Each structure stands twice: as structure tokens, then as C-alpha cells.
């Protein structure tokens, strides 16, 4: 896994990058300030700084409108550097190793944020907007907070799958009618490991061995999987981001999604850089993303807001969170099993978003 290789290189060439997780950064007092003047202090400081540099994995068609809304509201320019979460992590580690600290804040996948936390790139922060979030949005160390979720659900083509055929459980995916008709995204090892753990390892691995014998169609990219379901090339997808299916549904495509029990979500979060050049602007950015205004903008982009105070059918069901700590610590185990079951031992290729 690329993420794990980055961590190994970082630890070998620059252990701790010159500081530790527990060592406070230069902006700790500001980041944790909870006084009555907190919001005014952050806004005025951000206006003096004039801009914020954000590294993100959120695609530009979604992140640019959010940046424009932020700039219009505060008069503070937001500069985006967008790439895959793993490439964002690589850039952040490389820059820190070289003593360059230009980035102010991050918005990307939970496992990469967890890796940054372990390497001492992030600092704990407080936001009054935390009140908008459920407990599942926070790791124990609270160095980042989820602003959106990617939920793994099933999706099906309504022209090819009758209502009475729609699976009600994971076990229903093993019915003979689905042989050769199921699509699975090629890199969903964190979902795989989470389901196996939930079922119990023995039962869970037995289930996935049977699923691998159903001749599933393996494709790289959750957006691609959704499009193939909508076109009818794949009648049913076992692992799809429900917001991808919803985007197609609202545009008239013959596709619906369904949350099975358990439904697992992968957190995507925001964080402030420990050594940000513009710390007030970094805080203002995370405040905005976690505010109801920011969460509604995420919803408007047909993404899944982390806040349970924003009315969205995309998060209106019971769910479990994939633990980024487990993703990092057990990646080798689950990737090896997944590759053997579904990829004939080949290396896992991951989508860019």
C-alpha cells in the first residue's frame, strides 16, 4: 500500500520529523482558545493573513465552489492544491522533511490524516462548530474532525433488478441469480476488513470466499462503478459510495442505492497544520467546513455531510465508522487477503479520488 510505504520512508529518513505527536506546536494556544473573543480573534487574524493554503483530495468540481463561498463570506483567499489523499500525504511529508511548512490546513481521507497525526504534522484544535457533529466524527486524539463521509452501500439498476430481487443482507449477495452480475470496487480493503471483523473473522472470511466465487466484476473507481450500474453493464454493485449513485439518480438514471446492515463509512476530515504559516486562516477554514453553512454546501454537492443536523437521506440510517487506526495498522493483512480473493494476487490499484 502506497500509504504504508510513505510512512516507512518518513520514519527511516526523518524520525518524528523533528518533533513528536505530544509536543505542542507554535500555535497551540490559538488553536485551543475557547474564550468569548475566539471567533472575532480568528476572523480578524485571518483577514490580516489574507489567504489560506489547503491541501485536499476533494475533486475540484466540488472544492472550488466551496472555496468561492468561503472567499465571498470572509474576503480571505483560499488556494487549493488537490490530488489523491496518498499524494497529499506524500507532499506533506516531503515538504516537512525538507523544512518547508507552507500548507495551513488539510481536507482528506481519514487514514492519511491519521498518518499525518502520527508524524506530528497536525495539531489539536477547538472549534465551536464541533457542536454540529456526531461522536463518530472525532478520533480519540482529536487532531482532526470529519466533515464528510463516504458510505459503502449497494446500488442496482432498476431496469435490470426487480424490487423483490434487491438484497436485504450481505448473505443475499450469494444467491445464484447474482453469479457474474455483481460489481466490486478493486481497492475496498478497508470495507472488507471492517465487514469481516463485524461478522467474526471465521464467518466473515467464509462469506467473502463465497462472494469471490460468484464471478464478480472488479473495477477501479467508485464513480466508474456507479456509471456502469446506471448504464446496465453491471446490474448490481456491492461496494459503491451512495453519493455517487445519488448524483446519477437525481439526473434521471435508472439506479438506486440501499444501505445494508451494517453500513460502514470512511471519514474524510479537516485538520490544521501544526506549523501553519497562516494559523488564523487555517482555523477559519475548518470552522467554515464544520459549520452548518459548510455542511449544507457539502450536501449541495451531493456529498455526505458529517453533521447529523443537516437533513440528508445520504446519512439517514444506522452506520458504523471504519477506524483509520485499524486501516493503517492492519493494512498488510487485509490487502493480502483481498488480493488473493479478488485480484488473483495482483497489486491493488487505487482511484485518485
Amino acid at each position: 500500500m502506497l500509504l504504508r510505504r510513505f510512512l516507512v520512508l518518513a520514519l527511516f529518513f526523518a524520525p518524528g520529523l523533528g518533533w513528536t505527536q505530544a509536543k505542542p506546536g507554535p500555535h497551540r494556544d490559538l488553536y485551543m482558545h475557547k474564550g468569548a473573543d475566539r471567533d472575532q480573534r480568528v476572523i480578524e487574524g485571518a483577514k490580516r493573513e489574507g489567504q489560506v493554503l489547503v491541501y485536499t483530495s476533494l475533486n475540484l468540481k466540488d472544492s472550488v465552489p466551496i472555496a468561492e463561498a468561503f472567499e465571498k463570506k470572509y474576503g480571505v483567499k483560499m488556494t487549493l492544491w488537490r490530488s489523491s489523499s496518498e499524494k497529499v500525504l506524500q507532499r506533506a511529508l516531503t515538504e516537512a522533511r525538507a523544512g518547508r511548512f507552507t500548507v495551513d490546513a488539510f481536507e482528506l481521507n481519514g487514514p492519511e490524516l491519521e498518518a499525518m497525526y502520527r508524524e506530528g504534522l497536525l495539531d489539536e484544535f477547538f472549534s465551536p462548530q464541533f457542536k454540529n457533529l456526531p461522536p463518530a466524527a472525532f478520533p480519540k486524539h482529536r487532531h482532526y474532525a470529519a466533515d464528510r463521509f463516504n458510505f459503502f452501500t449497494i446500488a442496482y439498476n432498476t431496469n435490470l433488478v426487480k424490487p423483490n430481487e434487491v438484497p436485504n443482507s450481505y448473505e443475499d449477495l450469494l444467491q445464484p441469480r447474482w453469479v457474474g452480475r455483481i460489481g466490486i470496487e478493486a481497492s475496498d480493503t478497508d470495507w472488507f476488513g471492517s465487514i469481516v471483523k463485524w461478522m467474526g473473522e471465521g464467518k466473515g472470511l467464509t462469506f467473502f470466499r463465497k462472494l469471490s466465487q460468484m464471478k464478480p466484476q472488479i473495477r477501479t473507481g467508485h464513480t466508474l462503478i456507479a456509471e456502469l450500474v446506471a448504464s446496465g453493464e453491471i446490474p448490481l454493485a456491492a461496494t459503491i459510495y451512495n453519493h455517487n449513485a445519488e448524483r446519477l439518480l437525481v439526473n434521471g438514471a435508472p439506479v438506486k442505492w440501499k444501505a445494508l446492515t451494517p453500513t460502514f463509512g470512511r471519514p474524510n476530515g479537516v485538520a490544521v497544520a501544526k506549523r501553519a504559516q497562516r494559523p488564523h486562516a487555517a482555523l477559519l477554514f475548518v470552522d467554515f467546513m464544520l459549520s452548518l453553512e459548510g455542511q449544507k454546501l457539502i450536501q449541495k454537492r451531493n456529498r455526505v455531510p458529517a453533521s447529523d443536523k443537516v437533513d440528508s437521506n445520504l446519512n439517514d440510517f444506522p452506520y458504523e465508522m471504519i477506524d483509520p487506526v485499524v486501516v493503517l495498522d492492519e493494512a498488510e493483512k487485509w490487502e493480502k487477503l483481498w488480493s488473493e480473493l479478488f485480484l488473483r494476487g495482483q497489486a491493488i490499484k487505487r482511484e485518485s479520488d
Side-chain angles (χ1 to χ4, degrees):
M1 181 179 180
L2 194 56
L3 172 58
R4 290 181 63 84
R5 289 205 297 272
F6 291 153
L7 287 175
V8 170
L9 288 172
L11 289 168
F12 181 79
F13 288 111
L17 294 173
W19 60 85
T20 65
Q21 298 165 14
K23 184 179 179 181
H27 311 305
R28 172 58 68 88
D29 289 345
L30 170 65
Y31 286 164
M32 296 302 295
H33 184 58
K34 300 179 181 180
D37 65 337
R38 188 264 183 197
D39 288 357
Q40 180 180 356
R41 180 180 174 185
V42 169
I43 292 173
E44 290 179 351
K47 287 181 179 293
R48 287 195 303 270
E49 292 163 353
Q51 64 176 319
V52 61
L53 175 58
V54 178
Y55 289 1
T56 182
S57 62
L58 185 61
N59 63 45
L60 292 177
K61 68 181 179 181
D62 292 332
S63 56
V64 168
I66 291 174
E68 291 172 345
F70 175 86
E71 293 174 354
K72 183 177 180 180
K73 182 177 179 70
Y74 298 112
V76 177
K77 180 177 176 57
M78 184 188 298
T79 301
L80 299 170
W81 187 81
R82 190 269 164 191
S83 190
S84 68
S85 284
E86 290 182 336
K87 289 183 179 178
V88 170
L89 172 62
Q90 179 187 30
R91 178 169 178 148
L93 290 175
T94 300
E95 290 180 343
R97 191 161 61 236
R100 297 196 307 270
F101 304 100
T102 57
V103 62
D104 300 308
F106 300 95
E107 199 281 352
L108 67 156
N109 264 350
E112 282 75 15
L113 286 172
E114 182 65 27
M116 288 182 180
Y117 158 70
R118 295 184 182 190
E119 288 304 307
L121 300 183
L122 309 180
D123 214 343
E124 185 178 0
F125 66 97
F126 165 78
S127 171
Q129 305 303 329
F130 286 169
K131 65 180 183 290
N132 300 321
L133 303 176
F138 302 95
K140 292 180 180 179
H141 51 72
R142 299 180 78 86
H143 278 61
Y144 54 87
D147 64 327
R148 57 188 173 98
F149 295 138
N150 288 333
F151 283 118
F152 294 91
T153 68
I154 66 168
Y156 56 95
N157 186 294
T158 54
N159 292 333
L160 300 176
V161 179
K162 298 176 182 178
N164 65 335
E165 295 176 337
V166 178
N168 292 311
S169 68
Y170 290 104
E171 286 74 15
D172 286 346
L173 297 174
L174 303 179
Q175 293 181 9
R177 70 165 61 98
W178 300 121
V179 173
R181 303 178 70 213
I182 295 177
I184 295 177
E185 207 283 328
S187 64
D188 285 337
T189 55
D190 50 356
W191 169 81
F192 164 59
S194 298
I195 292 291
V196 171
K197 284 175 170 288
W198 183 85
M199 290 183 172
E201 190 158 329
K203 181 180 178 181
L205 289 177
T206 296
F207 165 78
F208 277 102
R209 288 190 186 99
K210 291 179 179 179
L211 185 62
S212 70
Q213 295 167 5
M214 298 290 290
K215 301 179 180 178
Q217 300 185 48
I218 309 299
R219 298 288 189 274
T220 298
H222 294 93
T223 300
L224 174 62
I225 287 279
E227 292 170 347
L228 293 176
V229 171
S231 70
E233 184 171 335
I234 295 176
L236 174 76
T239 61
I240 197 170
Y241 292 159
N242 65 342
H243 67 263
N244 285 337
E246 186 74 12
R247 281 182 171 175
L248 295 169
L249 173 62
V250 299
N251 287 320
V255 60
K256 287 186 177 180
W257 60 270
K258 181 176 181 178
L260 301 181
T261 301
T263 291
F264 278 96
R266 178 191 294 138
N268 291 259
V270 290
V272 293
K274 179 175 284 189
R275 300 184 66 174
Q277 296 299 300
R278 295 160 288 267
H280 297 85
L283 270 182
L284 190 61
F285 166 73
V286 297
D287 281 354
F288 181 72
M289 294 300 292
L290 301 178
S291 70
L292 292 182
E293 181 180 356
Q295 290 291 286
K296 288 177 181 177
L297 282 172
I298 290 173
Q299 177 198 35
K300 187 177 180 180
R301 305 307 303 175
N302 277 320
R303 295 278 182 168
V304 188
S307 176
D308 50 12
K309 295 183 179 180
V310 175
D311 185 22
S312 173
N313 67 316
L314 293 173
N315 63 6
D316 190 19
F317 46 80
Y319 59 81
E320 306 278 346
M321 274 293 102
I322 293 173
D323 188 347
V325 174
V326 174
V327 174
L328 288 183
D329 293 344
E330 300 184 8
E332 186 174 356
K333 171 184 177 179
W334 299 114
E335 288 178 2
K336 183 176 185 295
L337 288 168
W338 177 266
S339 177
E340 291 171 352
L341 288 170
F342 295 104
L343 305 178
R344 299 179 180 178
Q346 297 179 11
I348 296 171
K349 296 181 180 180
R350 298 185 182 276
E351 63 182 332
S352 61
D353 179 27

